[in-house]
Amino acid sequence: MMHLDEGSHEYRKDGTVFPSVTQIIKSVIPVQYRGATDWHMERGRAVHACAAMICQGVSFVHDQQIDGQVKACREWMAARKPVAEAVEHRVWRDTPIPYAGTLDLLCRMNGLLHLVDWKGSASPWDQWQLGGYADALSFEGIEVRRGLIVELNEDGTYREGKPIDLKRARNEWRSVLNVWAMMKREKLA
């Protein structure tokens, strides 16, 4: 069983530390989170926790500071009517290059399986994050071909990105993963 230490954001299985999908991407691609302070990171965790409860149909009370994002998530859920199959689900791959991550939402919409990731601000590298999750899911026997990035905005609106072809994103993720493995081997990462 994979364990996530929330404080250090380390994934561990049987005492072995697995790098996260986002750590690997950040090591290879110049990912910059403009203005991402500890407060922003904590707010993101709170928004994700609320989104998970919304997806699971759980009632909750939240801090008013994230009212907009909570409203945006509820609006998206009402508009798209996804049927959740997995929420905040840990995925990992043991070999040949181990890694782990936590997907936000695996759901069916119009009968088709989708990976959905909540963001405060979408970025080009988000597709490779979903590609990593889809790659790991394939080792569980779950094939996902469609991905979506959904921005949950402070003003209560959401913005759904263009559909992501997860076959392409998985292939590109494997390229990122291979570069990371070479950098690690050569002590560059």
Side-chain angles (χ1 to χ4, degrees), residues 136-151:
L137 280 170
S138 72
F139 287 89
E140 294 181 34
I142 301 169
E143 293 296 328
V144 189
R145 300 216 185 318
R146 293 160 193 80
L148 287 173
I149 301 299
V150 180
E151 288 182 9

Side-chain angles (χ1 to χ4, degrees), residues 1 27 29 53-54 57 74 102 128 132 135 142 146 151-153 166 171 174 178:
M1 179 65 135
S27 292
I29 298 168
M53 289 185 277
I54 291 167
R74 286 189 168 132
T102 303
W128 302 311
D135 193 45
I142 301 169
R146 293 160 193 80
E151 288 182 9
L152 303 176
N153 302 313
L166 290 179
N171 287 334
R174 289 182 192 138
N178 284 324

Side-chain angles (χ1 to χ4, degrees), residues 112 123 145:
L112 302 174
S123 302
R145 300 216 185 318

Side-chain angles (χ1 to χ4, degrees), residues 82-99:
V83 176
E85 296 213 355
V87 176
E88 290 294 316
H89 178 69
R90 287 192 192 105
V91 295
W92 66 90
R93 184 171 167 188
D94 292 291
T95 59
I97 305 168
Y99 67 88

